[in-house]
Amino acid sequence: MSSSVFFVGPSGSGKTMLRRHIAEELRSLEVSFVEVSDYPFIYAEFLRERLGLSGGDNFKVGPHGSFQVDSDEPLRRAFAEMIECVRLQMASGKVLLVEFAHKDNLGTLRQLDQTLLGASRIVYVHSPIGMRIARLARRASAPVVVPSLAGLAIHLSDDHHMPRVVSESLYAGDDLALLREDPVISTMLIDIENTVDRSDPNFNGRCLRPLDEIVLWLLGRN
């Protein structure tokens, strides 16, 4: 039976770490799943513009293969493409772990129809902005471009670099209150405040233990 877990919240809050944790749990239980991240869809918009395939002048090139985007339009296209991918995967009965950061998380989730949304759980991860910026400053993995006889592959990292101006502006907001107020979203929402590092003795209880019910929910559906 199709199911999805959405990991949302500001960049640098720890979504990827928690998504990886659930992925490891599902692998150990031999549950098959598909992971979906917003970054490849946004990066595709960046490449299309740089190659002159989409028009516009919305992206500025940054260090380590990163970029800054000055318009919401390419982000809207990227997220619409991502949501369509999620919709198709869920329609085929897949279990999905979906991660994204958007200043309008509620609007993005509402693009799913009620049936698919009802087969989902939402993990909202948040941290103080200073902590998020410090974490993002440590990320510097650049894309790897690999040519071959079959064509060209671009490998993106979860730990991709994000220019500081982006982390301080575009994804700086916290819309947890809006998600809590939504009568549908609030019933499937798990709120995790990630203010400790993995080495902290409180990390498991504060950040990982709340995910146990997600794993049990997925097992109950599959």
Side-chain angles (χ1 to χ4, degrees), residues 11-132:
S11 292
S13 59
K15 300 183 299 298
T16 299
M17 176 179 60
L18 300 188
R19 173 175 58 82
R20 287 172 177 169
H21 173 75
I22 285 201
E24 291 171 5
E25 290 285 306
L26 294 180
R27 287 190 191 99
S28 70
L29 295 167
E30 299 184 344
V31 176
S32 61
F33 60 92
V34 176
E35 295 184 84
V36 180
S37 170
D38 60 346
Y39 192 61
F41 297 94
I42 299 172
Y43 206 86
E45 285 293 323
F46 167 61
L47 287 180
R48 288 166 186 150
E49 180 176 296
R50 300 307 297 178
L51 294 172
L53 301 176
S54 64
D57 186 22
N58 302 301
F59 291 90
K60 295 179 181 177
V61 178
H64 306 292
S66 67
F67 52 81
Q68 176 183 344
V69 59
D70 294 331
S71 168
D72 286 343
E73 183 55 34
L75 295 179
R76 279 194 292 270
R77 290 195 300 267
F79 276 90
E81 195 171 0
M82 183 195 74
I83 288 295
E84 182 60 21
C85 174
V86 169
R87 186 180 290 112
L88 291 173
Q89 291 291 320
M90 289 188 70
S92 65
K94 302 289 180 59
V95 173
L96 274 73
L97 305 180
V98 185
E99 177 186 338
F100 65 85
H102 196 286
K103 62 182 180 181
D104 182 15
N105 291 305
L106 182 59
T108 303
L109 290 167
R110 281 177 171 170
Q111 292 181 46
L112 289 171
D113 62 50
Q114 293 298 311
T115 301
L116 296 181
L117 198 55
S120 304
R121 290 294 181 268
I122 301 163
V123 179
Y124 190 95
V125 191
H126 57 109
S127 304
I129 187 170
M131 185 172 289
R132 299 199 309 265

Side-chain angles (χ1 to χ4, degrees), residues 60-63 66-68 136 161-168:
K60 295 179 181 177
V61 178
S66 67
F67 52 81
Q68 176 183 344
L136 291 170
H161 180 72
M162 178 178 290
R164 180 165 180 149
V165 65
V166 177
S167 62
E168 290 180 344

Side-chain angles (χ1 to χ4, degrees), residues 201-210:
N202 296 315
F203 177 78
N204 283 357
R206 182 173 296 179
C207 295
L208 299 186
R209 196 161 298 135

Side-chain angles (χ1 to χ4, degrees), residues 176-194:
L176 175 59
L178 294 177
L179 297 180
R180 283 174 171 165
E181 292 171 0
D182 185 275
V184 176
I185 300 293
S186 60
T187 63
M188 56 194 70
L189 182 66
I190 293 178
D191 163 25
I192 296 179
E193 184 177 16
N194 178 23

